[in-house]
Each structure stands twice: as C-alpha cells, then as structure tokens.
C-alpha cells in the first residue's frame, strides 16, 4: 500500500478495515481490503465525492475497488456509485428497481438531494448516472475478497428504509457497517420510506450478527458499541410504539 489510513484521514478499525466520515452530511464510507480485491461500503453523495473515494481506496490498497455494497438507497450513500466502473455492486432486494432508468426512484433521489442542499446540477448528473444493482441480497451473501478475507452481506431490514443492508467483517475485532439503521451524530431519521414497526427487529439482527464485542459503524457519526445499538433499539421501540 502506498499510503496509510491516517495519512488519508481514514480511521483504521481493524487490520485491513477502515472508514472515513465524509463532509457535508457526515456519512460513513467503509473499506475492506482483501488480496487483489477491495470492498467499498457506500459511495458518497455525488460523482465528485465518489471519485475522491475511489482515489483514496486505490492509494490505500494499490488496486481498484472491485466490490461496492450500498447499505440503503439514499442519495448521500449512493450518488457516487457511478465513479466505480467495473465494480460488482450489491444491495438489499428491491434496490435495483429503485435505480431503474425511467422509474420514480431516481427522480425521488434527485429531488431529495436538492432539498438537502446538493447542487442541482450535481444532483441531476448523479441521478442520471446512477448504476444498477445486479447483486441483490435476500438473507445473507458471503463475499470472498481473497487472502482469507471473507465478508458477510446481510439483508437485515426493513427499518430505516425498505432496503437495508449490513456488512459484517469477521476477525479478531469484528466490524459491522450498519448504514443508517444506526446513527450516532443525531437522532435516527425516519423518512417516508422508513418501516418503523420493523426497525427495532432490524437492530436485533445487527446485534445477533456482530455480538457483544463488535465495533458498530453507523451511517453517520462515531463508531459505537453493542450497548449503544441496544439503547438506540429500545429508544426506537419506545418512539414508534413497538412492543419489545
């Protein structure tokens, strides 16, 4: 590798695993390094941000991003996806239909991006270039990145959206990329596409996947532990009137 995590402003979470907090919406992007392969978790909020993530990933790994996992279909996590040409793209079942050309999903993402402050031209370009998701996860899917590195993609939703994907990286320290099922820098956001009645159950599944000692990486904010996830699960259950 030609650069260290710290030199590029990334946080190293475990050997070969790290993340960065992107400016603007404080979104997390994660990176898992294998042997000749690399998985990026979420792609940023614009084509420009995606290109910057691509360059950082190549500097860290010495090769291109080969796999891209999208934790959920919101613009701040997916609009940079087209910057990763040739990568195998994964999402929860139903994500591809949202990105289909001519469908309502692209227009809804563009409108939401503009409403949240993304430049109108950047929003239009990213929505128009949005990639399809040929690998949709129903249940669990194991990726082999080589060198003994395997990663588990788990469809744990619905919750924050109808299409929530978590990424578990096993190891001496297990790392779970949670997407916006977990947020640390603010209260979890429940928009019109949220499924509040099932959100606490999605967090139960996250905790089952990672266990008590994992590091849980929220879609926004600092890395947290299982106790934080459990407390947020209980707070969501109380907020939405979901029985325990």
């Amino acid at each position: 590798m030609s650069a260290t995590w710290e030199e590029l402003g990334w946080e190293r979470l475990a050997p070969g695993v790290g993340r960065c907090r992107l400016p603007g919406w404080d979104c997390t992007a994660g990176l898992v390094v294998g042997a000749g392969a690399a998985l990026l978790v979420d792609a940023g909020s614009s084509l420009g941000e995606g290109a910057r993530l691509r360059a950082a990933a190549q500097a860290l790994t010495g090769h291109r991003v080969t796999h891209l996992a999208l934790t959920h279909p919101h613009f701040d996590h997916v609009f940079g996806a087209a910057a990763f040409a040739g990568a195998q793209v994964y999402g929860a079942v139903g994500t591809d239909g949202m990105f289909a050309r001519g469908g309502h999903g692209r227009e809804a993402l563009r409108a939401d991006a503009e409403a949240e402050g993304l430049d109108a031209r950047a929003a239009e370009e990213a929505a128009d270039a949005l990639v399809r998701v040929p690998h949709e996860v129903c249940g669990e899917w194991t990726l082999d990145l080589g060198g003994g590195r395997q990663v588990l993609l788990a469809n744990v939703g619905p919750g924050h959206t109808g299409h929530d994907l978590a990424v578990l990286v096993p190891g001496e320290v297990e790392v779970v990329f949670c997407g916006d099922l977990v947020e640390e820098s603010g209260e979890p956001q429940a928009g019109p596409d949220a499924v509040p009645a099932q959100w606490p159950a999605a967090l139960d599944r996250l905790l089952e996947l990672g266990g008590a000692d994992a590091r849980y990486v929220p879609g926004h904010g600092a890395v947290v532990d299982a106790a934080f996830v459990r407390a947020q699960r209980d707070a969501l259950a109380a907020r939405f009137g979901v029985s325990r």
Side-chain angles (χ1 to χ4, degrees), residues 187-216:
E187 187 175 84
Q189 298 299 300
D193 57 344
V195 187
Q198 297 187 53
W199 198 333
L203 294 186
D204 287 336
R205 286 191 284 275
L206 275 183
L207 289 165
E208 289 170 4
L209 280 174
D213 299 322
R215 305 190 74 185
Y216 293 86

Side-chain angles (χ1 to χ4, degrees), residues 1 5 10 13-19 29-35 37-41 57 61 63-67 143 145 149-151 167-170 175 177:
M1 298 184 188
W5 301 96
W10 285 58
L13 304 173
V17 185
R19 69 89 178 242
L31 183 64
V32 185
V33 183
L39 167 70
L40 190 79
V41 182
T61 65
H63 50 78
R64 69 179 183 86
V65 170
T66 54
H67 301 73
L143 293 180
L145 300 181
R149 170 75 77 188
Q150 292 191 326
V151 176
V167 179
L168 170 68
V169 188
V175 178
F177 292 96

Side-chain angles (χ1 to χ4, degrees), residues 63-154:
H63 50 78
R64 69 179 183 86
V65 170
T66 54
H67 301 73
L68 173 63
L70 302 176
T71 61
H72 62 288
H74 282 171
F75 84 92
D76 48 338
H77 297 261
V78 304
F79 263 10
F84 298 90
Q88 297 294 311
V89 184
Y90 299 80
V93 167
T95 305
D96 186 59
M98 289 194 64
F99 294 175
R101 189 170 296 277
H104 296 298
R106 289 189 186 214
E107 175 56 25
L109 286 169
R110 183 204 60 75
D112 187 45
E114 285 193 42
E116 292 294 329
L118 185 65
D119 173 77
R121 182 174 179 180
E124 183 176 1
E125 288 176 344
D128 185 61
L130 197 57
V131 299
R132 299 296 298 269
V133 183
H135 305 297
E136 292 194 305
V137 180
C138 177
E140 298 179 353
W141 189 318
T142 300
L143 293 180
D144 188 346
L145 300 181
R149 170 75 77 188
Q150 292 191 326
V151 176
L152 181 69
L153 308 181

